[in-house]
Amino acid sequence: MPKGSNTPVPATALRVEVGWRRGPGVPDADVSALLLAGGKVRSDADFVFYNQPAHPSGAVRHEGKNTLDGQVTDTLLVDLARVEPSVEKVVLAASADGGSFGQVPGLYIEVRDTARGTVAARFDSTGASVETAFVLGEFYRRQGAWKFRAVGQGYGSGLEGLATDFGITVDEPQHTPPPPAPAPPAPGTRTPGMAPPPAPAPFPSTPPPPVGPPVPLPPPAAPPVTRPQSGTPASPYGTPASVTPAPAAAPVRLSKVTLTKAAPSVSLTKQGGTGGAMRVNLNWQVRKQFSGWGSKRGRAAAMHSDLDLDLCALYELSDGRKGVVQALGNAFGALHRPPYIHLDGDDRTGAVADGENLTINLDHSGDFRRILVFVTIYEGARSFADLHATVTLQPQHGAPVDFSLDECTVPSTVCALALISNIGGDLVVQREARYLVPERGVSPQRTIDRAYGWGMNWTPGRK
């Protein structure tokens, strides 16, 4: 559909896919959504993106990225039937990470009816140059029904500029503001050795008035007495007592770290993740078109209804104790006592909004020697060939760390995701994304134990 055009869309569950072609020098991109009332968000909770992946109403959820055959997609799930009545518009945007959209080939947004599997709308965005964020489209209400409009409006200030434009409070600027112009010296004064002050900034601004030399002031007189208003208690200084304002809501954090093959590790300490709880999230989807070894053998490698992935962790503590945290055998761990790792739940379908989560207590980071986070296929699939997974490590403090798994081309039922090592008191996260193929009769857990030299004894178990 052309830019500026619109089309009706069903008020049901929709899959919004932003896609582009990958290649050398192509920056990454991230999809986001803003729920607007009167042209602005009602609160920061109306912003759905990689650091805030689900709206409280359940109407919008960030599903994550997928890479297949050189094509990258980032997906939102939007259920228009669950959008609150006060919300008039859902803006669908994308932001470039490490470049501009002029370097992103084949950018498009596609809306699919998830129930029917049909395309409800598609807009191919062309002509981008220096823009670092784009409003690609929007859902909006019209006479009791929903429509989709192809927008194609670019921003040169990235995700920060786009978010603040719609009323989001951002915690740290992504662009360094220009320094304020220094005040001119007082009239009649000279500062030896000082260069003339720089010219004012090119944008319109009002310079501050000249600042004269300090003038000694006499002791202050007694403060005037102000009669308090009826019902307002007087303060000791004669002015009405002020009411302590409620603390402001925490601003939205836009920073993130994406691990890749070229940059596979990051220090949690340098990212500010030195305490509190860190959530390790696994979110996964089944590809509709199979690839890898499963398709080459001429049959689907997964049975969708019974697919069950398990997020697990091998741990080694500083005192030498070793173990595993996993749903198998109900070894869910503990957060406030050894091993200071806890498995939150067991998502047997991939449909849970938050996927599967491990929580690591970073207040006890000195008690860890190493932690290996891995995933196994418990049942329902012969390999990861037709699955896509995204891993996110979200410290309570500091930037989140995320990465996607590469396409699997071997009959693997266990994948090492990330290795967290204590190196001189600094926890370092290493992207593994390593598919392993168990030998006949060898369990996935024993396979990954051997690969990483954990040296544990394993016995069969079930959930």
Side-chain angles (χ1 to χ4, degrees):
M1 56 191 297
K3 179 177 178 178
S5 62
N6 63 77
T7 185
V9 291
T12 181
L14 300 172
R15 183 180 180 89
V16 179
E17 183 180 277
V18 173
W20 63 95
R21 293 193 305 275
R22 67 184 303 182
V26 176
D28 193 19
D30 297 289
V31 69
S32 57
L34 299 107
L35 288 74
L36 307 183
K40 298 285 185 180
V41 296
R42 299 163 298 173
S43 72
D44 288 347
D46 285 338
F47 186 28
V48 177
F49 70 122
Y50 49 79
N51 278 359
Q52 198 165 267
H55 191 264
S57 68
V60 183
R61 177 163 66 92
H62 180 226
E63 190 175 65
K65 287 190 176 74
N66 186 11
T67 303
L68 181 63
D69 297 331
Q71 187 78 14
V72 185
T73 56
D74 199 4
T75 303
L76 294 167
L77 298 181
V78 181
D79 190 347
L80 295 176
R82 300 178 68 176
V83 175
E84 297 144 303
S86 60
V87 174
E88 303 160 353
K89 186 181 295 184
V90 180
V91 170
L92 307 168
S95 55
D97 184 9
S100 68
F101 277 105
Q103 304 166 276
V104 180
L107 181 66
Y108 71 89
I109 182 170
E110 185 174 273
V111 179
R112 282 184 167 271
D113 185 331
T114 55
R116 299 182 179 180
T118 55
V119 176
R122 179 181 170 115
F123 169 53
D124 291 272
S125 180
T126 59
S129 57
V130 298
E131 298 88 348
T132 50
F134 256 101
V135 174
L136 294 172
E138 62 186 18
F139 296 118
Y140 65 97
R141 297 183 193 266
R142 180 60 56 89
Q143 298 178 347
W146 284 96
K147 288 190 171 184
F148 172 82
R149 178 185 288 118
V151 178
Q153 177 185 348
Y155 287 74
S157 50
L159 183 59
E160 178 198 357
L162 185 149
T164 54
D165 216 32
F166 289 106
I168 296 295
T169 304
V170 178
D171 70 335
E172 75 280 344
Q174 305 295 299
H175 302 83
T176 305
T189 62
R190 293 183 61 187
T191 305
M194 292 291 289
F203 51 82
S205 62
T206 303
V211 179
V215 179
L217 297 177
V225 176
T226 305
R227 185 181 300 277
Q229 298 177 358
S230 174
T232 304
S235 74
Y237 299 99
T239 57
S242 61
V243 179
T244 303
V252 173
R253 175 179 287 273
L254 299 183
S255 57
K256 69 167 184 173
V257 177
T258 299
L259 300 182
T260 63
K261 288 181 179 178
S265 64
V266 66
S267 163
L268 289 180
T269 303
K270 293 178 181 178
Q271 295 298 323
T274 55
M278 179 173 70
R279 188 181 72 163
V280 182
N281 172 264
L282 172 70
N283 214 300
W284 52 272
Q285 307 92 38
V286 178
R287 294 190 179 104
K288 292 184 178 180
Q289 293 180 347
F290 299 108
S291 61
W293 77 278
S295 61
K296 291 175 183 176
R297 293 176 61 178
R299 57 177 179 269
M303 291 70 76
H304 297 194
S305 60
D306 297 324
L307 184 58
D308 183 10
L309 299 187
D310 283 345
L311 184 63
C312 314
L314 284 171
Y315 63 84
E316 182 179 358
L317 302 182
S318 57
D319 61 7
R321 284 181 289 177
K322 301 176 183 180
V324 64
V325 175
Q326 60 179 5
L328 192 66
N330 295 323
F332 287 95
L335 195 60
H336 300 291
R337 63 179 186 274
Y340 308 112
I341 306 170
H342 182 253
L343 178 63
D344 296 350
D346 182 22
D347 177 13
R348 299 197 175 197
T349 65
V352 177
D354 290 337
E356 291 204 359
N357 299 282
L358 279 165
T359 305
I360 301 173
N361 189 343
L362 295 183
D363 291 335
H364 292 271
S365 58
D367 293 303
F368 299 125
R369 182 171 295 167
R370 57 177 179 159
I371 303 168
L372 179 65
V373 181
F374 65 100
V375 59
T376 68
I377 299 177
Y378 181 69
E379 60 184 9
R382 297 184 180 90
S383 85
F384 290 99
D386 51 312
L387 307 177
H388 169 69
T390 302
V391 182
T392 304
L393 291 83
Q394 177 66 71
Q396 187 172 335
H397 311 289
V401 179
D402 69 5
F403 61 90
S404 296
L405 298 184
D406 299 322
E407 182 179 352
C408 177
T409 57
V410 295
S412 169
T413 55
V414 58
C415 178
L417 302 177
L419 181 63
I420 305 172
S421 304
N422 190 329
I423 302 175
D426 181 12
L427 287 185
V428 176
V429 178
Q430 172 81 24
R431 176 187 185 268
E432 294 294 306
R434 180 182 176 188
Y435 296 105
L436 300 173
V437 181
E439 298 176 2
R440 183 180 296 275
V442 178
S443 69
Q445 287 84 353
R446 188 185 297 272
T447 299
I448 205 160
D449 180 311
R450 290 177 177 175
Y452 286 86
W454 232 265
M456 292 173 54
N457 295 320
W458 297 91
T459 57
R462 294 194 62 84
K463 295 183 182 180

